[in-house]
Amino acid sequence: MDQLEAYKQQIVTACRILVERGYLMATGGNVSLRVAERNGFAITPSNYDYSKMTSDDVCFLDLDLNPLVGQRTPSIESSLHATVYQTRPDVNAVVHTHQVYASALALIDAPIPALFDEQARFLGRAVEIIPYAPSGTGFLKKNIAKRIKNHHNAYILQNHGVLCFGPDMERAIHNVEILEKCSLAYLLALCTERKVTKIPLVVREIAFNKLRQDQKKVERGEEEDR
Ligand SMILES: [Zn+2]
């Protein structure tokens, strides 16, 4: 199997898992992987049913969005993925979904504070909401580039969906799942109208510091500790 084929297979497998678990629906959302040796990334095609996708449908682009390989039109949200790879050297996989519970928090402008240890360890200090801009526009790209510099691994896009990152695809998918679990728990807690407790600040900072150490290893090209 050539190297590009391995990237394609990872994208197809990720889509299958995300569809099976209900995070990708119909043609909404998209998945990409950094291809460092080509200074670009592999991404799902535009407006294409994920359940029918094969490795031949995966597109390759450089970070300026010039097509490298692929017969299909790349996702219209490709510029959003390119922005992440340009801004965050620790990120090698990006998953963008329209998952329901996290999207609901975007509608009521409710960023998620540090509620669980695992959340702070893998997603960051909080899950912030990136202000609305239409898909595929420079405005959205600018909003994202500005917000993701804080090294969190999950963000909610106002009136749109979510963005989750990872040093590899497996972790990015895991982060999608942590985010959805936190979103549902937070929504349920908010419904009670009682005070929502957070983890202690010191615990949050220790967890986030571990995440940053992992990210710095990826930036230096070292293996992540698991
Ligand atoms: Zn979208």
Side-chain angles (χ1 to χ4, degrees):
M1 193 191 294
D2 70 26
Q3 216 166 16
L4 289 188
E5 188 58 31
Y7 287 107
K8 289 177 183 178
Q9 287 298 344
Q10 276 199 68
I11 297 265
V12 172
T13 305
C15 289
R16 186 181 46 75
I17 293 170
L18 290 161
V19 167
E20 275 171 12
R21 297 181 189 172
Y23 298 113
L24 283 184
M25 282 149 271
T27 59
N30 31 70
V31 171
S32 73
L33 264 180
R34 187 194 292 274
V35 182
E37 58 274 31
R38 299 275 189 112
N39 198 28
F41 58 103
I43 189 161
T44 42
S46 175
N47 200 24
Y48 197 74
D49 188 338
Y50 293 116
S51 58
K52 294 188 188 132
M53 207 174 71
T54 69
S55 64
D56 288 340
D57 299 316
V58 176
C59 308
F60 286 85
L61 302 172
D62 69 19
L63 293 180
D64 295 320
L65 304 183
N66 299 306
L68 298 173
V69 183
Q71 47 205 4
R72 297 208 173 266
T73 309
S75 164
I76 61 154
E77 283 160 338
S78 294
S79 69
L80 177 161
H81 292 252
T83 303
V84 177
Y85 294 123
Q86 280 166 329
T87 314
R88 291 276 302 269
D90 60 291
V91 173
N92 290 321
V94 176
V95 178
H96 163 58
T97 78
H98 299 165
Q99 60 196 66
V100 177
Y101 295 124
S103 299
L105 290 171
L107 305 181
I108 54 170
D109 193 22
I112 311 173
L115 302 176
F116 304 102
D117 296 355
E118 186 191 35
Q119 176 202 350
R121 173 69 179 84
F122 294 109
L123 305 188
R125 290 181 168 121
V127 182
E128 296 176 351
I129 296 180
I130 296 178
Y132 178 81
S135 273
T137 64
F139 299 110
L140 183 58
K141 206 176 137 149
K142 219 183 263 177
N143 286 350
I144 289 169
K146 202 166 111 186
R147 298 298 180 106
I148 63 173
K149 287 183 184 142
N150 61 6
H151 286 279
H152 293 174
N153 272 343
Y155 299 85
I156 298 173
L157 304 173
Q158 189 185 6
N159 292 75
H160 183 168
V162 316
L163 262 183
C164 285
F165 310 151
D168 54 39
M169 187 56 81
E170 194 187 338
R171 174 48 65 187
I173 292 173
H174 194 195
N175 288 345
V176 163
E177 295 186 299
I178 297 173
L179 173 60
E180 197 66 340
K181 177 227 153 184
C182 292
S183 300
L184 176 56
Y186 193 40
L187 276 168
L188 291 172
L190 290 175
C191 287
T192 66
E193 296 185 4
R194 293 178 66 167
K195 184 177 180 289
V196 179
T197 59
K198 300 171 205 155
I199 58 171
L201 209 60
V202 61
V203 174
R204 184 193 79 177
E205 289 307 301
I206 291 169
F208 182 63
N209 194 38
K210 283 187 188 160
L211 174 62
R212 282 296 295 133
Q213 294 310 314
D214 287 345
Q215 291 176 343
K216 284 175 187 165
K217 281 186 192 168
V218 178
E219 288 169 16
R220 293 194 297 264
E222 297 170 20
E223 282 290 306
E224 187 194 9
D225 286 338
R226 284 283 171 91

